[in-house]
Amino acid sequence: MAVQTPIRGLRSFCVAAKCLSFKHAAAQLYLTPSAISHQIRLLEQQIDKQLFLRQTRAIELTEDGKLFYKKVAPIIEQLETTITEFTNSSSMSSISITLPEFFSSEVFVPRLNEWSENHPNINLQLETVKNRTQSSKDTNLSIVLASSKPTDAIVYELFPISYMPACSPDLFKKLKPFGKEALSQAPLIVHQSRPWAWHQWAEENDIVDFSPKRIVQVDSMFSVARAAQQGIGIALIPLPLSQNWFDEGVIYPLFEQQLKTRDKYYLIQHDWHASREDLDIFVQWLLTEFGKY
């Protein structure tokens, strides 16, 4: 029997098999989930095998599907590699990345000019989020802040962060004479994802009966830093991300003691994306720029 299976159907199958999601496969291949499903059904009909068990909210490979993927995936990957090698070197490629908005504004975007100058044929698509729960696995890469290493297949540790008690210059002048009693003289700014951070700091610094009278809760790191800059209260400012804020004098450290936590930034390369030269180059650049920052 002549082989008439379209290459796009095999590629759709391989991508869907890796991520176990027609939706994620469609996002990577710039198709609709229904188009992915249709291509795979045609493939199943041609080989007369059921490749996926389709459930209401999930899919999984059948035993035939696992075997077929094991045989076909290396061929498709080699084919894509060969096509890439023969593609005109001047062609453009795109890499998508999800990252926290404060990380993006403070340390990532300021370094993009050098990247763009050295890699004019690689477009970057940035998707910023306020917290990790908003991170998307539809992108090639993600940078996340977490207290433990993510369980994704490919994860690189970037750098840890600590938190410095700080406030605006005007508030600093008013509060500094009070010493640690200043914590009861002004509102404490709290990130809603870390509601106990101030209690941790107080415990580490032997502050007895710590009971803040006024709390201002915000939903992002940028809001924490901005609220402190505007003189709203005292905040635990993340370092080294916010070092420029201190260097420029827009906020002052109120105490020398920083809060040390297990929080670290991690780079995640989502496991259903095949290895690509441009992606490998970008990952290495990220590790060089931000590994142990």
Side-chain angles (χ1 to χ4, degrees):
M1 181 181 67
V3 177
Q4 298 176 346
T5 303
I7 294 298
R8 63 177 180 273
L10 292 172
R11 186 165 186 251
S12 294
F13 164 73
C14 288
V15 176
K18 284 184 180 180
C19 62
L20 292 179
S21 168
F22 289 163
K23 178 183 177 182
H24 290 159
Q28 182 181 342
L29 298 175
Y30 302 100
L31 297 171
T32 63
S34 60
I36 295 291
S37 179
H38 178 69
Q39 290 178 11
I40 291 173
R41 283 197 183 278
L42 290 178
L43 179 60
E44 289 175 321
Q45 291 171 10
Q46 181 168 14
I47 65 174
D48 196 25
K49 300 287 186 183
Q50 183 178 358
L51 301 174
F52 288 102
L53 292 176
R54 294 164 173 81
Q55 303 170 9
T56 304
R57 295 182 178 274
I59 59 172
E60 61 179 279
L61 285 167
T62 62
E63 289 303 315
D64 285 330
K66 293 176 182 177
L67 179 60
F68 191 69
Y69 174 74
K70 184 179 180 180
K71 297 288 187 180
V72 170
I75 299 172
I76 294 299
E77 184 173 349
Q78 182 59 51
L79 179 61
E80 291 180 338
T81 300
T82 301
I83 292 173
T84 299
E85 290 174 353
F86 278 82
T87 299
N88 191 308
S89 61
S90 65
S91 63
M92 302 294 292
S93 65
S94 294
I95 297 173
S96 56
I97 180 170
T98 302
L99 65 171
E101 61 178 4
F102 199 63
F103 184 101
S104 175
S105 66
E106 300 307 308
V107 297
F108 185 79
V109 171
R111 287 169 169 75
L112 277 187
N113 187 49
E114 179 183 354
W115 162 265
S116 298
E117 289 181 353
N118 292 331
H119 304 90
N121 296 327
I122 302 178
N123 290 326
L124 296 182
Q125 301 171 359
L126 310 185
E127 179 181 330
T128 60
V129 296
K130 288 185 178 181
N131 54 63
R132 188 182 174 188
T133 60
Q134 298 175 326
S135 291
S136 170
K137 290 190 175 182
D138 293 338
T139 54
N140 300 114
L141 304 165
S142 294
I143 292 176
V144 300
L145 178 64
S147 58
S148 60
K149 186 175 181 179
T151 57
D152 301 75
I154 306 176
V155 179
Y156 306 93
E157 180 181 320
L158 295 181
F159 60 89
I161 63 172
S162 59
Y163 300 90
M164 172 73 78
C167 58
S168 68
D170 289 342
L171 195 57
F172 175 86
K173 294 176 183 178
K174 296 178 183 179
L175 297 178
K176 191 61 177 177
F178 290 97
K180 291 179 180 177
E181 289 297 319
L183 298 176
S184 62
Q185 302 296 316
L188 300 185
I189 301 165
V190 176
H191 193 305
Q192 67 180 22
S193 297
R194 302 168 190 81
W196 298 106
W198 271 113
H199 291 270
Q200 290 178 286
W201 185 89
E203 182 178 351
E204 290 183 5
N205 289 279
D206 301 320
I207 299 179
V208 182
D209 298 326
F210 177 70
S211 181
K213 296 180 175 57
R214 289 173 289 172
I215 295 291
V216 176
Q217 187 176 88
V218 296
D219 64 354
S220 69
M221 275 193 182
F222 183 81
S223 297
V224 168
R226 183 64 73 188
Q229 180 196 17
Q230 295 297 317
I232 294 174
I234 311 167
L236 288 169
I237 303 295
L239 288 173
L241 273 74
S242 306
Q243 189 59 52
N244 283 343
W245 295 56
F246 290 99
D247 294 343
E248 294 171 1
V250 296
I251 52 175
Y252 281 17
L254 186 59
F255 308 111
E256 294 181 358
Q257 298 87 351
Q258 298 181 32
L259 174 63
K260 304 290 187 179
T261 71
R262 294 181 298 172
D263 291 349
K264 296 179 181 179
Y265 280 104
Y266 295 91
L267 171 65
I268 300 173
Q269 184 171 340
H270 298 300
D271 58 0
W272 61 82
H273 293 281
S275 179
R276 293 163 28 191
E277 183 179 3
D278 58 344
L279 192 58
D280 293 342
I281 291 172
F282 185 53
V283 167
Q284 288 305 312
W285 179 80
L286 290 170
L287 296 178
T288 300
E289 290 292 324
F290 303 112
K292 308 301 182 183
Y293 179 70

